[in-house]
Amino acid sequence: MADCKYCGRSAGIFSHAHKECEESHNQGVTILEGAIRSYFKGATPMSEIVRVANHVKQNNYISDKDRAESSSKCIDEWTNTIHWPFHSSHLDKIKEFITNIGVSYQDINGSGALDRLCQKMIRGFMAEYFTGQKPLQRSLQISQQVMRTLPLTVQKEQEAYYEMLGQAGKNFLKDGLMSPSEQQKVDEYIGTLGLSLINLPPSLKGTPIEEMGQASILSDIQAGRTPRYNLQAPIILGRGETAFWCYNNVTMFQEKVRREYVGRTGGFSFRIIKGVTYRTGGFKGHPVETSFMENMGVGSLYVTNKHIIFMGQMRSIKVPYSKIIGINPFSDGMEVQRDGNNVKRLVFQGFDCTFILNVLALIN
Ligand SMILES: [Zn+2]
């Protein structure tokens, strides 16, 4: 015999709840969520929500856990409907709700609903900085005020800042380049918030943030400056050598027998031309045909002002730019052709090579 999880009385051998108790509970959830939605729409005062919540607790077996879950669900729905610009009324509304709903902040935030709301608001204030409507200090001040009601971990706070940075980057790079004023905005933002454009957490690889970092470095190279961002690279560099970028999880292939392979697209090398265009993912072409290429292992590919350096677990190789006579770009890598007799072609796979092509165009 099992007891009904709602009323606690015996529910029969194969059942853990009475059908009518279950129905009553579901009805209670519907009533409570309807009331909470109405509160967030501004149609019902909080005192009424408290009354409804207590009513369904007594009459519909709505536990505190149910109350927290319904709150969380309705907060997520509300988060999806509100849009920047945010006002203090938004903050007041959630504050009043959290204070009076009768379950703990942690329980309401069990699935991160309050974190998501806070992150959305922060992104909105940061958008006002990027669109020139507020100075950064003001956006930051308001964000901190919001975080006093909706506290975030440092990681979640940074996540929100990075996400906005990514959105700004997408806009800034629409024309392929960052203008000096856009660059300045980004520099102030990452400097003030303690972010980085080039030493990024793995989750941000391949995002517009990374492209912005690369675009900044390219504009520095073009202007003859040392790049403003410093790559932390565990490689030994030569005199006057600066590391610009590092791609992780790159696979190196080396030509085994020197002959053309079937299925190659194009067959021409990238012409190294002057001037920078910045668009990634522009190369069509299939992943390189590897049947005649020997897999030399996975490693990190560094781009410096003098070399491309592959540091693998099995093999490492350093190719000076002066020895590169051509590059075949692929959508997910590149083939490097080197000058000299009997030199084997190299293929690096697992990244977008736009940045390297631009570095070569500027340095050669
Ligand atoms: Zn029951």
Side-chain angles (χ1 to χ4, degrees), residues 4 7 18 21:
C4 171
C7 69
H18 296 111
C21 292

Side-chain angles (χ1 to χ4, degrees), residues 84-86 124-140 142 185 188:
W84 169 72
F86 299 117
F125 302 131
M126 293 301 150
E128 291 181 315
Y129 162 69
F130 280 112
T131 53
Q133 294 170 68
K134 278 195 173 75
L136 183 55
Q137 285 307 331
R138 182 72 191 124
S139 291
L140 196 55
I142 301 170
K185 271 207 137 39
E188 186 189 346

Side-chain angles (χ1 to χ4, degrees), residues 122 125-126 129 134-148 157 161 188-189 192-194:
I122 290 181
F125 302 131
M126 293 301 150
Y129 162 69
K134 278 195 173 75
L136 183 55
Q137 285 307 331
R138 182 72 191 124
S139 291
L140 196 55
Q141 207 179 10
I142 301 170
S143 297
Q144 277 157 356
Q145 205 180 320
V146 170
M147 283 186 279
R148 278 199 281 276
E157 183 186 346
Y161 295 147
E188 186 189 346
Y189 188 77
T192 306
L193 300 176

Side-chain angles (χ1 to χ4, degrees), residues 4-11 17-18 21-22 61:
C4 171
K5 65 175 174 177
Y6 298 114
C7 69
R9 288 190 291 271
S10 166
H18 296 111
C21 292
E22 180 93 59
Y61 312 111

